[in-house]
């Protein structure tokens, strides 16, 4: 059975009848019908109607090497023929996770040199929470189990990952979160910086919120601080330069572990293999997934620093945690080839020296003065466009998120896949984008903003 045997309406009807989508209003989706994406090539995806759409989100922050990479399909096929699956339990391993672990230890920052595998970023953050608390228990300090996180953070959608995150709507549907996780203000200068406050001072103030939470809970009770280097799914919130050095100082001062969530920022998106390198950080854990395989296979890797790993090994005892697909041989084979492509084609350096700076400049000069735009910001190949009704006062349009959703719909209809988060439009394109691709994106975004403004202002 292939999809070519069915019409779009038939596929939409079957989708509505049986398929529960993630992060979806199912009543609304069934009324509107799904857009069915059937194929992809390079930076573009195509739907059943043959519409070509420039993918500004790299799938879901993940397809860093772009679509149509035959090398990745071939290595998956070869591994499936040789050994499609075996587990990592019972003192067993398979070659590809062994080789991938060695490679990840080579490119990871600081003393990070151990890897624990799962299938998603959510699983990786679950594992990080478990491991950090277990570490302090092994050190004879089980009471040191509280985690400091941030409002608007996104760390996944399992119960534990949602609890770590700071999305209020998601917390509301938990009906009971994992305990001992506190949330503080994020470094979101566009909305939270005080009038006349410099970026530097705001960054220090946002970091102090973390310190205040540690002091209030008692440092002897706080295990770790968790944060995304750039808050991705929360709206590409880029902290001021003063923020992370302060966080690093605070964690060291109070003997609090630093957990970085690089599920989005890892594997080249910021112009380094990991954002930790760009920020000068040596975290105790780094959660990664998404671009590890460029989305061609589900795989996550929790990278663990020497401090935590050495205690886990030296103190011994079973760590009662793991997944059926931890270290899946096919996924790890694809990851190895994917990292080889990124390295061979110099995609990390391209983002750092060419396309990252060009994207920031192009958005600022071509989009930044638009009547709907309150701010544009970029970090590597991540960017955000704040949608406002009044550029001077930064007043939003009525109905939270409605204006950005209007822009998003016009963008997609015009061949530009973007995402709306609240009243922020966000971009996270494949690392294969060139200056020409960025020019196309800016043209289509500008056109979408023009059409949306007519709708929103009724002119």
């Amino acid at each position: 059975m292939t999809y070519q045997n069915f019409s779009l309406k038939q596929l939409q009807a079957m989708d509505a009848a049986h398929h529960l989508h993630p992060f979806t209003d199912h009543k609304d989706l069934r009324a509107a019908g799904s857009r069915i994406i059937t194929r992809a090539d390079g930076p573009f995806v195509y739907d059943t109607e043959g519409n070509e759409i420039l993918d500004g989100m790299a799938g879901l922050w993940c397809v860093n090497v772009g679509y149509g990479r035959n090398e990745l399909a071939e290595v998956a096929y070869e591994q499936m023929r040789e050994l499609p699956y075996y587990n990592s339990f019972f003192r067993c391993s398979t070659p590809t996770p062994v080789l991938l672990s060695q490679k990840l230890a080579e490119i990871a920052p600081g003393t990070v040199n151990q890897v624990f595998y799962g299938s998603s970023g959510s699983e990786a953050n679950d594992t990080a929470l478990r491991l950090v608390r277990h570490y302090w228990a092994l050190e004879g300090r089980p009471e040191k189990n509280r985690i400091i996180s941030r409002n608007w953070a996104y760390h996944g959608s399992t119960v534990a990952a949602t609890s770590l995150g700071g999305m209020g709507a998601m917390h509301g549907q938990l009906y009971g979160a994992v305990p001992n996780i506190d949330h503080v203000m994020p470094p979101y200068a566009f909305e939270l910086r005080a009038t006349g406050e410099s970026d530097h001072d705001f960054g220090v103030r946002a970091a102090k919120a973390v310190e205040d939470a540690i002091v209030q809970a008692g440092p002897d009770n706080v295990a770790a601080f968790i944060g995304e280097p750039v808050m991705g799914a929360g709206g590409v919130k880029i902290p001021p330069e003063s923020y992370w050095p302060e966080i690093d100082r605070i964690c060291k001062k109070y003997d609090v572990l630093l957990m970085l969530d690089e599920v989005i920022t890892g594997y080249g998106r910021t112009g380094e293999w990991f954002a930790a390198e760009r920020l000068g950080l040596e975290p105790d854990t780094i959660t990664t997934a998404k671009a590890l395989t460029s989305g061609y296979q589900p795989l996550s890797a929790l990278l663990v620093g020497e401090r935590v790993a050495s205690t886990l090994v030296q103190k011994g005892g079973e760590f009662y945690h793991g997944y059926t697909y931890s270290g899946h041989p096919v996924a790890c084979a694809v990851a190895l080839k994917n990292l080889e492509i990124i390295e061979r084609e110099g995609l990390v350096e391209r983002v750092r020296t060419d396309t990252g700076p060009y994207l920031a400049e192009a958005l600022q000069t071509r989009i930044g003065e638009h009547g709907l735009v309150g701010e544009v910001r970029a970090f590597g190949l991540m960017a955000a466009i704040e949608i406002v009704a009044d550029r001077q006062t930064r007043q939003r349009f009525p109905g939270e998120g409605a204006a950005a959703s209007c822009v998003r719909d016009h963008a997609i209809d015009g061949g530009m896949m973007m995402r709306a988060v609240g009243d922020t439009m966000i971009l996270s394109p494949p690392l294969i984008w060139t200056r020409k691709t960025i020019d196309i994106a800016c043209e289509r975004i500008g056109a979408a903003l023009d059409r949306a403004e007519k709708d929103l202002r009724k002119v």
Side-chain angles (χ1 to χ4, degrees):
M1 181 183 295
T2 64
Y3 77 86
Q4 288 95 341
N5 296 327
F6 300 93
S7 69
L8 171 60
K9 288 187 177 180
Q10 288 175 317
L11 289 170
Q12 288 175 325
M14 288 186 286
D15 189 60
H18 307 294
H19 184 192
L20 293 174
H21 292 233
F23 284 86
T24 295
D25 180 331
H26 295 98
K27 181 179 180 180
D28 176 72
L29 178 65
R30 278 156 174 71
S34 302
R35 180 185 297 274
I36 308 294
I37 304 297
T38 57
R39 66 185 183 89
D41 183 55
F44 297 101
V45 297
Y46 301 84
D47 63 19
T48 47
E49 304 301 288
N51 295 309
E52 180 184 85
I53 304 170
L54 181 61
D55 185 7
M57 286 304 302
L60 199 59
W61 314 88
C62 54
V63 189
N64 280 19
V65 299
Y67 299 96
R69 293 285 189 162
N70 290 335
E71 287 178 89
L72 299 183
E74 289 164 1
V75 77
Y77 173 72
E78 291 166 3
Q79 183 60 49
M80 285 182 183
R81 286 179 59 88
E82 182 176 292
L83 178 66
Y85 171 76
Y86 200 71
N87 66 72
S88 299
F89 292 58
F90 321 133
R91 297 188 177 184
C92 292
S93 193
T94 60
T96 55
V98 172
L99 295 173
L100 179 59
S101 299
Q102 174 65 29
K103 180 62 178 178
L104 291 174
E106 289 175 6
I107 65 175
T111 64
V112 173
N113 58 20
Q114 300 282 331
V115 187
F116 191 104
Y117 294 106
S119 299
S120 69
S122 298
E123 289 180 7
N125 278 314
D126 259 77
T127 301
L129 174 62
R130 291 279 302 275
L131 183 59
V132 162
R133 287 179 168 175
H134 183 55
Y135 162 80
W136 285 115
L138 288 174
E139 291 291 338
R141 304 176 70 182
E143 72 285 351
K144 200 169 169 67
N145 59 39
R146 188 169 290 275
I147 310 294
I148 309 299
S149 183
R150 303 177 294 189
N151 296 322
W152 294 332
Y154 183 81
H155 296 299
S157 60
T158 61
V159 172
T162 297
S163 301
L164 284 170
M167 301 289 191
M170 295 177 69
H171 284 187
Q173 291 182 350
L174 276 182
Y175 308 107
V178 172
N180 292 344
I181 300 173
D182 300 325
H183 298 84
V184 301
M185 67 175 286
Y188 182 29
F190 183 75
E191 285 195 355
L192 300 181
R193 183 176 52 206
T195 302
E197 186 178 26
S198 68
D199 272 355
H200 176 276
D201 289 350
F202 173 72
V204 171
R205 177 163 67 88
K208 190 176 185 303
V210 175
E211 183 170 26
D212 290 345
I214 293 171
V215 171
Q216 182 176 354
D220 289 341
N221 298 316
V222 178
F225 168 75
I226 185 171
E228 305 151 89
V230 174
M231 299 177 77
V236 186
K237 294 172 171 57
I238 303 169
E241 291 184 3
S242 59
Y243 180 77
W244 278 110
E246 272 296 288
I247 292 293
D248 189 48
R249 180 191 66 80
I250 290 164
C251 288
K252 289 174 179 174
K253 176 180 178 180
Y254 296 103
D255 196 19
V256 168
L257 298 180
L258 177 57
M259 303 164 64
L260 279 192
D261 182 339
E262 295 222 38
V263 171
I264 287 173
T265 56
Y267 307 111
R269 181 151 301 281
T270 67
E272 301 289 349
W273 278 109
F274 300 95
E277 298 169 277
R278 180 163 173 176
L279 298 171
L281 300 173
E282 293 192 8
D284 295 288
T285 65
I286 305 176
T287 43
T288 75
K290 294 189 182 292
L292 176 56
T293 64
S294 283
Y296 281 63
Q297 283 283 289
L299 182 67
S300 63
L302 172 65
L303 312 181
V304 184
E306 179 63 25
R307 177 179 178 178
V308 174
S310 61
T311 291
L312 184 69
V313 172
Q314 292 170 14
K315 295 293 177 73
E318 185 167 350
F319 180 41
Y320 299 109
H321 179 73
Y323 309 103
T324 299
Y325 299 119
S326 291
H328 193 288
V330 177
C332 290
V334 171
L336 278 163
K337 181 59 69 173
N338 175 65
L339 296 179
E340 178 187 313
I341 292 171
I342 292 173
E343 204 163 30
R344 184 180 72 221
E345 297 186 3
L347 296 181
V348 179
E349 183 180 6
R350 181 197 293 186
V351 172
R352 181 172 65 251
T353 63
D354 184 18
T355 52
Y358 188 77
L359 176 65
E361 179 186 13
L363 288 174
Q364 186 61 56
T365 57
R366 304 179 205 180
I367 305 297
E369 299 301 316
H370 193 279
L372 292 185
V373 175
E375 177 181 85
V376 296
R377 54 183 181 268
F379 193 91
L381 278 192
M382 303 173 70
I385 304 168
E386 296 285 358
I387 305 301
V388 297
D390 189 308
R391 286 172 47 81
Q392 300 303 315
T393 65
R394 296 186 171 183
Q395 179 184 350
R396 302 285 194 179
F397 283 93
E400 183 180 357
S405 294
C406 178
V407 177
R408 175 203 62 201
D409 293 344
H410 279 296
I412 296 173
D413 287 343
M416 181 72 224
M417 181 62 71
M418 297 182 70
R419 183 176 178 182
V421 174
D423 282 305
T424 308
M425 299 299 302
I426 57 177
L427 280 168
S428 175
L431 306 192
I432 62 167
W433 270 26
T434 63
R435 292 189 175 209
K436 181 179 178 180
T437 324
I438 292 169
D439 291 341
I440 295 171
C442 287
E443 180 180 343
R444 294 183 183 183
I445 294 168
L449 287 167
D450 288 343
R451 291 192 294 270
E453 186 166 34
K454 290 180 180 179
D455 286 349
L456 293 168
R457 301 196 194 282
K458 306 298 182 184
V459 296

